[in-house]
Amino acid sequence: MLYTNEFITFEHENEHDLEHTLAHKKDFSIPKIYNANGNLAKRWYVYFSFRDPKTGRLKRMKNIYGAANSHKNKEDRLALLTRYRRRVLKLLQEGYNPYIDNTDFIKIDLLKKVKFQLL
């Protein structure tokens, strides 16, 4: 029978061991929207980080502006940037990698769209 002290010590040892044996680090961060605290005079954009294969660290990618800054009110900018954010997240989850040639990835995506349109 385990006493309380032994039980707590046993749990602590397991927790510490499992803490350092994570299966896999994420390859990218969740895309975020920079809105300049609502200031329409500044540029708004979507940004994310991706794991650099050389260093193994997350590296910030280029900002995605699109046509968001041509809109003159907050709702339109935020709506457009939200769509960009969702599209980038979907691409990243499907396996897009900014460090490699993605022509095969684009071809597969185009084939899916054509098949969907034919159905």
Side-chain angles (χ1 to χ4, degrees), residues 90-91 94 102-118:
K90 183 180 175 189
L91 280 173
E94 290 177 354
N102 289 295
T103 54
D104 293 335
F105 182 78
I106 294 170
K107 288 178 185 176
I108 292 169
D109 190 46
L110 290 174
L111 288 174
K112 286 180 187 176
K113 288 180 183 178
V114 169
K115 286 181 183 177
F116 180 74
Q117 290 175 354
L118 294 175

Side-chain angles (χ1 to χ4, degrees), residues 24-95:
H24 181 66
K25 294 180 181 179
K26 291 187 176 183
D27 288 333
F28 58 89
S29 67
I30 303 290
K32 296 175 182 70
I33 297 173
Y34 175 75
N35 65 1
N37 293 324
N39 187 351
L40 293 173
K42 294 185 179 180
R43 296 174 77 179
W44 293 23
Y45 53 86
V46 174
Y47 65 97
F48 70 98
S49 298
F50 200 88
R51 191 161 306 281
D52 187 354
K54 293 178 184 174
T55 64
R57 294 180 175 222
L58 289 176
K59 182 178 176 184
R60 175 114 173 232
M61 297 289 107
K62 290 184 178 181
N63 299 334
I64 301 168
Y65 297 101
N69 295 305
S70 64
H71 295 284
K72 301 300 177 193
N73 60 33
K74 294 178 184 180
E75 292 82 15
D76 292 342
R77 281 192 187 188
L78 194 57
L80 186 59
L81 288 172
T82 302
R83 274 188 255 141
Y84 290 165
R85 181 187 168 281
R86 276 188 269 146
R87 288 177 186 166
V88 169
L89 182 59
K90 183 180 175 189
L91 280 173
L92 291 170
Q93 288 173 339
E94 290 177 354

Side-chain angles (χ1 to χ4, degrees), residues 2-31:
L2 291 175
Y3 295 104
T4 307
N5 190 29
E6 292 172 348
F7 182 73
I8 291 172
T9 305
F10 180 71
E11 286 294 317
H12 176 71
E13 289 174 4
N14 284 344
E15 180 180 331
H16 184 71
D17 291 340
L18 295 175
E19 180 180 323
H20 299 291
T21 57
L22 297 175
H24 181 66
K25 294 180 181 179
K26 291 187 176 183
D27 288 333
F28 58 89
S29 67
I30 303 290

